[in-house]
Amino acid sequence: MNPFFTASEHPWEELGDGIKRKIVAYTGDLMAVHVCFDKGAIGTAHIHEIHDQIGYVVNGSFEAEVDGQKKILKKGDAFIAHKHLKHGAVALEQDSVLLDIFNPAREDFLK
């Protein structure tokens, strides 16, 4: 496996509703994914049964919610959503980007 990620060599996967993603890198235990949002796009609140997640704001800003708590996050900020905690985000600016980090890797993203 190539140990380097070159963004231009990996296409975005359109998810619909103003959201697209690109897998940055992964192992069996860890995965990093860029997720790009149009302004107003909603990362619908959801729960992971086996994945812990960190969402790091690479660009733009979000209203993030974790376990019923809401906070405005800007570039350089992050949230932590342990498994079984409901979480989601709404993009407040065009081309807002999260770097989502998962443990373990999201096998469903690789299919």
Side-chain angles (χ1 to χ4, degrees), residues 20-82:
K20 59 187 178 181
R21 76 174 166 224
K22 179 188 295 200
I23 295 172
V24 175
Y26 64 94
T27 68
D29 298 321
L30 188 64
M31 177 178 271
V33 180
H34 279 139
V35 187
C36 184
F37 293 71
D38 290 343
K39 183 177 182 178
I42 299 170
T44 304
H46 60 284
I47 295 172
H48 299 290
E49 293 298 322
I50 63 169
H51 299 99
D52 287 329
Q53 178 179 346
I54 296 172
Y56 173 82
V57 182
V58 174
N59 192 50
S61 60
F62 293 86
E63 179 184 69
E65 182 174 357
V66 179
D67 198 27
Q69 298 179 55
K70 291 185 178 183
K71 185 166 179 78
I72 303 298
L73 300 179
K74 298 180 180 181
K75 185 177 180 177
D77 296 339
F79 68 84
I80 299 171
H82 294 283

